[in-house]
């Protein structure tokens, strides 16, 4: 139903763009990036290769704030940061990892249904309905999430309005964990809550 909507409160969704993504999350054996509050991701989407370094940030209700820096490469990207494009994210990883090698933690594969959200002439946000799975050594943990990312034309008031509308009109619940944190919880064998009294399990998360 959300994929087909023509209005979202006072916001008008644009045309749907479907993107297939594969994300490989990396860290050292001692998880030094995580210890310093970072996550590192290699993404393949639409023939593009991207490497992203993210701060874990903080979540308040449905709103997530975090540092994020990204670079693209012409060819395939591997786990050795010295082979990545030179940009601030590479320097962060090298400074923290030192001589420790990076290894894959888990892979996230997802199909993203992406639409821009407009308020008149303002493009305030990008909405994505993501369906996929966390793959850990061949074991797959499915998820379905709705994400809204603020764009230059939007502000905090727009995000709060959208969160309120999705919560009150659509009955969706804010998800405090990022996909990286969800994958990490699965990797570490965290127990998923059972569905009861309107709660959703880790494999049916919404945000």
């Amino acid at each position: 139903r959300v994929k087909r909507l023509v209005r979202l409160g006072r916001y008008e969704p644009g045309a749907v763009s479907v993107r297939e993504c594969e994300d490989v999350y990396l860290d050292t054996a001692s998880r030094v990036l995580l210890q310093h509050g970072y996550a590192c991701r290699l993404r393949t989407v639409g023939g593009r290769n991207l490497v992203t370094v993210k701060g874990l940030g903080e979540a308040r209700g449905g709103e997530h704030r975090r540092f994020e820096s990204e670079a693209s490469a012409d060819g395939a990207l591997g786990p050795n940061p010295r082979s990545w494009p030179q940009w601030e994210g590479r320097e962060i990883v090298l400074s923290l990892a030192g001589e420790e090698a990076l290894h894959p933690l888990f892979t996230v594969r997802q199909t993203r249904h992406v639409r821009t959200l407009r308020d008149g002439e303002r493009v305030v946000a990008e909405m994505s309905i993501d369906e996929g799975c966390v793959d850990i050594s061949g074991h797959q943990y499915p998820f379905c999430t709705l994400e809204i990312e603020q764009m230059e034309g939007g502000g905090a008031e727009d995000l709060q309005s959208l969160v309120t509308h999705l919560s009150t009109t659509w009955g969706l619940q804010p998800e405090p964990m990022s996909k990286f944190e969800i994958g990490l919880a699965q990797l570490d064998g965290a127990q998923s809550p059972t569905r009861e009294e309107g709660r959703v399990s880790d494999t049916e998360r919404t945000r």
Side-chain angles (χ1 to χ4, degrees):
R1 289 170 55 208
V2 178
K3 289 178 186 176
R4 297 192 301 269
L5 61 79
V6 295
R7 298 289 299 182
L8 191 61
R10 70 173 188 263
Y11 303 96
E12 180 182 357
V16 177
S17 172
V18 180
R19 305 171 189 173
E20 299 290 339
C21 295
E22 180 174 283
D23 299 333
V24 180
Y25 286 89
L26 305 172
D27 207 336
T28 66
S30 63
R31 296 191 186 177
V32 68
L33 301 183
L34 178 64
Q35 290 175 32
H36 287 83
Y38 289 98
C40 181
R41 179 188 73 195
L42 303 182
R43 166 169 284 184
T44 303
V45 54
R48 299 178 64 206
N49 298 294
L50 305 167
V51 54
T52 305
V53 175
K54 299 184 177 187
L56 299 186
E58 60 179 352
R60 295 181 179 178
E63 184 178 350
H64 294 244
R65 293 180 178 272
R66 62 191 176 205
F67 164 84
E68 183 170 330
S69 185
E70 189 170 77
S72 61
D74 293 331
L77 288 161
N80 184 357
R82 300 185 189 281
S83 68
W84 298 347
Q86 293 193 6
W87 104 108
E88 62 175 340
R90 176 181 183 267
E91 299 311 311
I92 291 171
V93 172
L94 286 173
S95 67
L96 295 177
E99 297 303 315
E100 288 192 73
L102 299 184
H103 303 282
L105 295 173
F106 52 85
T107 300
V108 174
R109 297 183 179 89
Q110 57 187 320
T111 300
R112 312 194 77 195
H113 294 79
V114 182
R115 306 175 75 176
T116 57
L117 296 176
R118 289 181 173 271
D119 181 16
E121 296 299 314
R122 293 188 306 131
V123 181
V124 303
E126 183 178 81
M127 178 180 72
S128 179
I129 300 173
D130 303 337
E131 298 172 275
C133 68
V134 177
D135 189 315
I136 301 173
S137 301
H139 298 280
Q140 297 183 348
Y141 304 89
F143 63 81
C144 181
T145 66
L146 187 154
E147 295 186 356
I148 295 178
E149 183 172 353
Q150 180 180 319
M151 300 182 73
E152 288 187 6
E157 187 274 336
D158 294 299
L159 287 184
Q160 187 55 57
S161 177
L162 287 162
V163 168
T164 299
H165 181 77
L166 288 166
S167 299
T168 58
T169 303
W170 290 85
L172 301 184
Q173 301 177 40
E175 171 52 66
M177 297 172 68
S178 67
K179 288 174 189 160
F180 169 72
E181 291 167 323
I182 292 171
L184 200 63
Q186 296 287 1
L187 180 65
D188 291 341
Q191 295 296 313
S192 301
T194 57
R195 176 183 282 275
E196 59 183 10
E197 297 181 358
R199 295 176 66 192
V200 294
S201 73
D202 280 346
T203 56
E204 298 172 295
R205 289 185 177 275
T206 289
R207 82 187 218 234

